Amino acid sequence: MFCEKCGEKIDSNMKFCPKCGTPVRGIPEETIHTPPVSSTKMNQNNKNRKTGIITVAVIAVAVIAAALFLFGGKSYKTVIKQFIDATFEADAKTMMELIPKGMVEYALEEEGYEKDELDEMLDEIEEELQDSIDAMDSYMGEDWKVSYDILDTDDVTGDDLDEVKDTYC
């Protein structure tokens, strides 16, 4: 089992977490089962497609923050917070709105998708996000919270900035 507050591994016979002191009320890790996934729901083609979309989104987050900050938009911290909030609300449309239009079009083209497929892809991403959130809720309880730290940033200037502008604008 793990502490629901700090994540420390704890024995099932403990009453309190040895790291943070939180009372133990969880269920043992060996009793947690994930529901089986039907073969029709996740065929290989859809899995690759979703993986490609999510990969593009993750890569784009770093560039989004830099681009919006550099092009006079919101601060990168605000954009990252909004992106994370939207992720844990299973709101793929809001996540996508945070990405500059030129970057979305570029990513779609690079991955071989048509622009008119975007709404369908966003619906699929929202379903996957909601499934993940539901799994976290069933494992950790509905009162779990997300926290994050921005560990590093890079300044993009000069030729590197020009290259970003040329690529996505």
Side-chain angles (χ1 to χ4, degrees), residues 20-167:
C20 70
T22 298
V24 175
R25 68 172 184 88
I27 56 176
E29 64 185 336
E30 56 272 0
T31 64
I32 296 173
H33 302 284
T34 56
V37 177
S38 71
S39 60
T40 58
K41 184 176 179 187
M42 283 291 264
N43 65 37
Q44 188 63 33
N45 192 22
N46 277 345
K47 187 174 182 179
N48 288 341
R49 181 178 182 181
K50 290 175 186 176
T51 301
I53 294 167
I54 291 169
T55 301
V56 169
V58 169
I59 292 170
V61 167
V63 179
I64 297 167
L68 289 176
F69 182 69
L70 295 170
F71 302 134
K74 302 173 188 175
S75 77
Y76 71 91
K77 291 178 182 179
T78 301
V79 173
I80 291 171
K81 181 183 182 330
Q82 289 173 339
F83 191 88
I84 290 172
D85 289 346
T87 301
F88 287 96
E89 292 168 2
D91 187 355
K93 289 170 182 68
T94 296
M95 293 165 61
M96 194 59 62
E97 289 170 2
L98 294 169
I99 303 171
K101 186 177 178 182
M103 293 177 74
V104 172
E105 292 169 357
Y106 178 82
L108 288 171
E109 183 179 315
E110 285 295 306
E111 292 297 317
Y113 298 111
E114 298 294 325
K115 193 174 180 179
D116 60 353
E117 295 178 275
L118 185 59
D119 285 337
E120 181 183 335
M121 289 187 286
L122 292 175
D123 290 340
E124 290 175 8
I125 291 170
E126 285 182 352
E127 288 177 23
E128 290 295 317
L129 288 170
Q130 191 58 56
D131 288 346
S132 296
I133 292 166
D134 291 344
M136 293 296 290
D137 285 347
S138 70
Y139 180 71
M140 301 179 79
E142 293 189 19
D143 59 344
W144 61 277
K145 304 266 188 247
V146 173
S147 64
Y148 63 93
D149 292 317
I150 300 171
L151 300 177
D152 193 17
T153 60
D154 290 326
D155 290 328
V156 180
T157 59
D159 291 339
D160 291 336
L161 177 57
D162 291 336
E163 183 178 331
V164 170
K165 288 179 180 179
D166 290 342
T167 302

Side-chain angles (χ1 to χ4, degrees), residues 1-3 6-12 14 17-19 29-30:
M1 330 184 8
F2 296 91
C3 175
C6 71
E8 180 76 14
K9 187 169 177 93
I10 53 179
D11 293 331
S12 59
M14 297 181 119
C17 173
K19 184 175 180 183
E29 64 185 336
E30 56 272 0

